[in-house]
Amino acid sequence: DTGVSQDPRHKITKRGQNVTFRCDPISEHNRLYWYRQTLGQGPEFLTYFQNEAQLEKSRLLSDRFSAERPKGSFSTLEIQRTEQGDSAMYLCASSQGLNQPQHFGDGTRLSIL
Amino acid sequence: AQTVTQSQPEMSVQEAETVTLSCTYDTSESDYYLFWYKQPPSRQMILVIRQEAYKQQNATENRFSVNFQKAAKSFSLKISDSQLGDAAMYFCAHDGVSGNTPLVFGKGTRLSVIA
């Protein structure tokens, strides 16, 4: 069990640029979740996958956000045309199934200049 | 809609003493799970304890225990014999059994441990 891995740890970009984050879940965890966390707040749900199927998306996930999990293993979260308000910590978590505890990665901190 | 409220933004405790962190929630689910997660300054969230709502017995994990009051929709975390390593943000979270609702977190309580 190597834990949930996220890359990069920190991303600094200019407003309007596209960014992509990667998450590698714990092997054999079929559920993968993305959250966004801003300073002083708890994580807010963005979307989740069961295997390769994206089962739910939050209304927080605007059209500029897209997530994929093409082979049911790692996942990517892309933000197009970044805005100042996108600055946050993006957390990935995985679990063995429904209602099982979620294991979190270290997160990717996005800073928009 | 599911909501989770943590009314204590910050708490402090003397080393070796006991502290209780409060959490209340609202849900339309008839069955659900409740969690406490710890987020140390390194930022990785760690599961502390988990409670299944249909179980009346309060969950316990070593120095961590909960006081689950289902009728009052209250789920407090008690940390006994506090240690310096317990200093962190603590988040209460709710998850419906049906799987149709995502994990909902409170805003967190920052716990400081005083040596």
Side-chain angles (χ1 to χ4, degrees):
Chain A
D1 181 352
T2 57
V4 177
S5 177
Q6 291 189 246
D7 184 69
R9 291 293 304 274
H10 198 171
K11 178 70 177 179
I12 302 172
T13 191
K14 293 182 179 180
R15 184 166 53 90
Q17 297 295 305
N18 299 343
V19 294
T20 300
F21 311 140
R22 176 180 171 122
C23 172
D24 287 88
I26 294 172
S27 59
E28 298 179 359
H29 277 194
N30 59 8
R31 288 203 166 199
L32 187 148
Y33 305 81
W34 285 100
Y35 295 86
R36 181 172 68 187
Q37 186 178 22
T38 53
L39 200 61
Q41 302 292 321
E44 295 175 294
F45 169 79
L46 292 178
T47 188
Y48 86 92
F49 294 83
Q50 179 159 309
N51 299 314
E52 66 276 8
Q54 188 173 17
L55 296 187
E56 187 170 346
K57 293 193 293 186
S58 163
R59 57 181 170 78
L60 293 175
L61 216 64
S62 75
D63 291 343
R64 297 184 297 105
F65 288 70
S66 62
E68 295 182 343
R69 195 183 183 198
K71 296 182 180 179
S73 55
F74 73 92
S75 175
T76 58
L77 177 68
E78 181 183 16
I79 309 174
Q80 296 182 327
R81 305 181 303 281
T82 53
E83 301 174 356
Q84 289 286 351
D86 297 332
S87 295
M89 176 74 82
Y90 290 83
L91 297 171
C92 177
S94 69
S95 71
Q96 285 184 310
L98 180 62
N99 300 135
Q100 295 303 306
Q102 295 182 23
H103 299 258
F104 285 80
D106 289 336
T108 293
R109 179 171 295 285
L110 174 64
S111 300
I112 306 297
L113 300 178
Chain B
Q2 280 62 237
T3 60
V4 176
T5 302
Q6 294 179 249
S7 60
Q8 306 154 316
E10 296 184 355
M11 291 283 284
S12 62
V13 62
Q14 292 277 1
E15 199 175 4
E17 296 296 308
T18 296
V19 65
T20 299
L21 308 184
S22 301
C23 173
T24 58
Y25 61 92
D26 194 13
T27 181
S28 56
E29 300 265 348
S30 58
D31 202 3
Y32 47 88
Y33 292 83
L34 295 163
F35 306 86
W36 278 98
Y37 280 89
K38 170 185 177 182
Q39 191 174 38
S42 64
R43 305 292 287 185
Q44 186 175 65
M45 298 272 278
I46 304 166
L47 178 66
V48 175
I49 201 164
R50 176 191 188 212
Q51 174 78 42
E52 298 170 77
Y54 65 88
K55 289 187 177 179
Q56 293 187 345
Q57 185 173 6
N58 289 325
T60 299
E61 288 287 344
N62 300 315
R63 298 181 296 106
F64 299 88
S65 62
V66 299
N67 183 4
F68 174 48
Q69 302 289 328
K70 190 172 184 179
K73 295 184 178 177
S74 171
F75 182 61
S76 60
L77 175 70
K78 185 172 81 172
I79 306 174
S80 304
D81 186 26
S82 297
Q83 301 175 0
L84 295 177
D86 294 334
M89 285 291 290
Y90 285 82
F91 293 97
C92 177
H94 166 281
D95 190 9
V97 167
S98 66
N100 293 330
T101 55
L103 195 58
V104 176
F105 288 85
K107 291 188 175 183
T109 296
R110 181 176 302 280
L111 179 66
S112 301
V113 181
I114 303 166

